[in-house]
């Protein structure tokens, strides 16, 4: 809050992109994720691993004592997986790159901490 208010004093504006992390990991589209991984320049064998890893996936839903049947799914990376934060960062990189380009077109001085993420793309 301090940084936002300090920016207001300098007539700067603050923009925020927020994600509901609770439903973010289970919502990642596998096809788009594969495209992002390819664009990031991953080795063909590693890319093939992730494409196979995300193929023929299924999920079940649990509520109290109820457990559903299996449902095929083409979305999601496992919450709690060590790879989930990395995969989600690569997934977000094109969105952040587009955001940065639009900001640059405004021809205003913008301070951001998203350079590392967008270097991939």
């Amino acid at each position: 809050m301090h940084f936002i208010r300090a920016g207001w004093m300098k007539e700067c504006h603050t923009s925020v992109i927020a994600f509901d992390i609770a439903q973010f990991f289970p919502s990642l589209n596998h096809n788009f994720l594969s495209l992002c991984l390819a664009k990031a320049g991953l080795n063909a064998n590693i890319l093939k691993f992730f494409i196979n890893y995300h193929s023929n996936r299924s999920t079940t839903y649990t509520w109290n004592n109820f457990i559903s049947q299996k449902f095929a799914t083409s979305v999601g990376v496992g919450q709690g997986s060590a790879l989930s934060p990395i995969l989600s960062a690569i997934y977000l990189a094109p969105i952040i790159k587009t955001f940065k380009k639009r900001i640059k077109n405004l021809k205003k001085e913008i301070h951001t901490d998203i350079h590392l993420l967008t270097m991939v793309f």
Side-chain angles (χ1 to χ4, degrees):
M1 193 62 176
H2 168 75
F3 291 117
I4 293 172
R5 289 191 175 273
W8 289 348
M9 301 276 295
K10 296 177 184 178
E11 297 185 13
C12 294
H13 302 280
T14 302
S15 296
V16 176
I17 298 176
F19 298 94
D20 178 3
I21 298 297
Q23 289 303 310
F24 182 65
F25 292 137
S27 302
L28 298 184
N29 180 286
H30 293 163
N31 291 330
F32 184 72
L33 179 58
S34 295
L35 291 173
C36 292
L37 293 170
K39 180 78 171 168
L42 263 63
N43 174 286
N45 288 331
I46 295 171
L47 185 59
K48 195 182 301 182
F49 165 80
F50 278 108
I51 290 170
N52 288 331
Y53 178 72
H54 288 129
S55 296
N56 301 319
R57 304 283 295 205
S58 64
T59 190
T60 58
Y61 296 95
T62 304
W63 187 270
N64 293 328
N65 293 328
F66 170 78
I67 299 175
S68 72
Q69 64 186 22
K70 286 187 177 185
F71 294 94
T73 182
S74 62
V75 296
V77 294
Q79 282 182 279
S81 166
L83 291 174
S84 295
I86 297 164
L87 294 174
S88 63
I90 292 171
Y91 191 90
L92 289 174
I95 297 164
I96 294 172
K97 183 176 181 180
T98 301
F99 178 71
K100 283 185 69 172
K101 282 183 182 178
R102 289 186 180 176
I103 288 174
K104 192 178 255 185
N105 290 339
L106 294 175
K107 297 185 181 5
K108 291 186 178 184
E109 185 178 349
I110 306 292
H111 301 283
T112 114
D113 292 323
I114 56 179
H115 300 288
L116 179 63
L117 186 58
T118 57
M119 283 180 8
V120 175
F121 292 87

